[in-house]
Amino acid sequence: MTPDSGPAGPDPTRVRRGEWPALLLSCVYFFCVLTAYYVIRPVREQLSAAVGSTQLPWFYAATFLVTLALTPLFAALVSRWRRRVMVPVVYGVFVACLIGFMPFFAQPGLLSPRALGVVFFVWVSVFNLFVVSVFWIFMSDIWTPPQARRLFPLIGFAGTTGALAGPAITHTLVGVVGVAPLLGVSAALLGLATFCSLVLGRHAREQRPSTSDDAPLGGGMLDGLKQVLASPFMRNMALLLVLADGIGTINYALLADYSHATFTSDTARTAVAASVDFASNVLTMLLQVGIAWWLMPAIGAGRVLILWAGIAMAALALVVFSPDAYAPLVGAMPAVAIAAIVSRALGYGMAEPARHALFTQVARTERYKGQNAVDTAVWRFGDLLVALTMNAMKALGAGVGAVAMIGVAAAGTAAGIGWRLSRGAGARVSQDA
């Protein structure tokens, strides 16, 4: 879009003239993407809570294998097709899948509950990664690094309002209409997001008609995975994501165990998952507008990552040192739920805008291939690795506090990666300002 002419000046958070149309389109686009996901996320959550966290490695292994197979296909797609074709094709496939799942939830006898649970869990996990990854790659493609530091928290805020709307829709409708119509709502929202991407892409081409930002990238289907191994920047970003995923997966598993041990019905578990989503998304919104919007232009994306990791350590330490992590601590929320809410809010409110702002400085082929590989295959590898580690610890008799301690260690290591990025990759972003 319209590039910055120089340093941010006295008001580094101000939206520049000419940026508003694309910014508003970006906000609506992300709102629709995250609402579509969060409408169906509680359905997935209650399926995992029904079996407990010990089964999560099987789910994560299947998700990792599917994601690993799809990542080269995505790289092949962006190598041969223009952005204006690639984005609608990816989203169109997921819309078709949502519609295809509706009969199985409307008529449970068509597939066994366990088989449907595993298939749907894996599919929603893949859905989440790809639709969000494609969105952020698109954003990295049309905004410059200085614009990203100013505008990505605002775009993230719009997405979080969608993440807030999704659980509210599910909480309101699931007891009235059931699960199957919710999949149709999600499909409609993703269709609207596809329309926004087309309009936004056309606007970007009109603003920069001489660039090749919409051109096919060429290259091979394994380029993304190769870039993760070959590029020091991509390796740092991959390691950071694995650590961040470790924090999130540990909180997710602890919360699933709490829900499994405390609630007996699918409806109750779904309602609890929606309540945690709602609380974490409210906190995310406060962080995005109250902190990240002014903090990231002021101190840089790398230092924001350090701050995120430090607070995540404190949240998990609450579980480690709690006498009873399942006992109500704030209202009806136990320590495991509070840690999940805080860590998830920090991840989406601070870490994600900072992480994606760093990706704006690399070449397009690394954004579309390497970034996608990090955001999909590496992420799900992290899920599997952390889940297997937790199951091994439980087999050795480790309790809730010991498992949470893994998250504390992961957050500490992530702070070190953030420090490295603030001095290396983050420094290059500062030079662009």
Side-chain angles (χ1 to χ4, degrees):
M1 292 301 175
T2 305
D4 287 0
S5 58
D11 184 5
T13 65
R14 182 169 61 86
V15 180
R16 305 289 196 265
R17 180 180 301 175
E19 292 176 341
W20 278 107
L23 175 61
L24 293 176
L25 277 170
S26 299
C27 289
V28 174
Y29 180 2
F30 202 26
F31 173 87
C32 292
V33 166
L34 285 195
T35 304
Y37 168 58
Y38 274 93
V39 162
I40 59 175
R41 176 186 165 98
V43 180
R44 185 196 72 169
E45 304 302 79
Q46 72 87 7
L47 291 171
S48 64
V51 297
S53 68
T54 57
Q55 299 301 310
L56 289 179
W58 297 104
F59 289 166
Y60 288 150
T63 303
F64 170 63
L65 291 175
V66 172
T67 305
L68 191 63
L70 290 177
T71 298
L73 293 179
F74 179 83
L77 183 66
V78 299
S79 296
R80 292 164 176 79
W81 289 1
R82 291 180 177 272
R83 184 179 63 201
R84 72 186 77 174
V85 176
M86 179 272 296
V87 175
V89 166
V90 172
Y91 286 169
V93 168
F94 284 110
V95 168
C97 290
L98 279 165
I99 295 172
F101 270 115
M102 291 178 67
F104 294 99
F105 282 96
Q107 303 178 47
L110 293 177
L111 195 64
S112 71
R114 183 173 181 83
L116 179 60
V118 172
V119 172
F120 191 71
F121 183 98
V122 172
W123 182 84
V124 172
S125 300
V126 172
F127 168 91
N128 171 37
L129 291 186
F130 273 92
V131 298
V132 174
S133 176
V134 168
F135 170 81
W136 279 117
I137 292 169
F138 193 16
M139 293 297 102
S140 300
D141 209 20
I142 65 175
W143 299 109
T144 66
Q147 288 176 315
R149 294 202 304 275
R150 289 187 292 106
L151 303 180
F152 277 14
L154 293 178
I155 295 171
F157 176 84
T160 305
T161 61
L164 193 62
I169 292 170
T170 299
H171 200 280
T172 301
L173 295 182
V174 68
V176 179
V177 301
V179 172
L182 293 176
L183 304 186
V185 172
S186 180
L189 287 163
L190 193 58
L192 182 56
T194 305
F195 174 77
C196 290
S197 73
L198 292 172
V199 177
L200 187 58
R202 184 174 62 186
H203 182 79
R205 292 191 298 274
E206 290 172 352
Q207 291 293 311
R208 295 189 295 184
S210 61
T211 67
S212 59
D213 285 353
D214 191 35
L217 296 175
M221 64 190 303
L222 297 179
D223 287 351
L225 297 174
K226 291 178 181 177
Q227 288 165 3
V228 172
L229 298 175
S231 166
F233 173 78
M234 285 295 177
R235 287 200 300 270
N236 273 327
M237 297 302 282
L239 180 56
L240 178 69
L241 187 60
V242 169
L243 294 167
D245 186 53
I247 298 169
T249 301
I250 286 169
N251 279 300
Y252 178 83
L254 292 175
L255 187 63
D257 281 345
Y258 159 73
S259 182
H260 176 66
T262 307
F263 305 100
T264 57
S265 71
D266 293 351
T267 301
R269 287 191 294 265
T270 300
V272 168
S275 297
V276 170
D277 283 344
F278 184 88
S280 63
N281 289 329
V282 169
L283 183 56
T284 299
M285 294 170 69
L286 296 175
L287 289 171
Q288 285 166 331
V289 176
I291 296 179
W293 187 23
W294 60 266
L295 188 64
M296 197 153 66
I299 68 173
R303 291 184 177 88
V304 169
L305 291 172
I306 297 173
L307 182 61
W308 150 72
I311 302 174
M313 288 179 67
L316 279 160
L318 180 67
V319 178
V320 173
F321 296 106
S322 175
D324 183 358
Y326 289 177
L329 187 62
V330 177
M333 292 289 184
V336 291
I338 294 170
I341 290 168
V342 172
S343 297
R344 191 179 299 169
L346 288 166
Y348 290 113
M350 296 175 64
E352 283 297 280
R355 192 172 67 85
H356 290 297
L358 291 173
F359 275 118
T360 60
Q361 67 187 301
V362 300
R364 289 188 75 234
T365 183
E366 291 184 74
R367 286 199 296 270
Y368 276 92
K369 296 180 180 181
Q371 181 179 354
N372 179 258
V374 169
D375 286 350
T376 56
V378 171
W379 194 327
R380 288 316 179 205
F381 173 74
D383 285 341
L384 177 60
L385 179 64
V386 175
L388 288 172
T389 300
M390 288 190 298
N391 272 12
M393 290 188 66
K394 289 179 180 179
L396 295 174
V400 172
V403 172
M405 195 64 201
I406 302 174
V408 174
T413 307
I417 298 295
W419 176 80
R420 184 184 303 171
L421 289 169
S422 70
R423 298 189 59 180
R428 293 199 299 273
V429 175
S430 297
Q431 293 169 4
D432 293 333

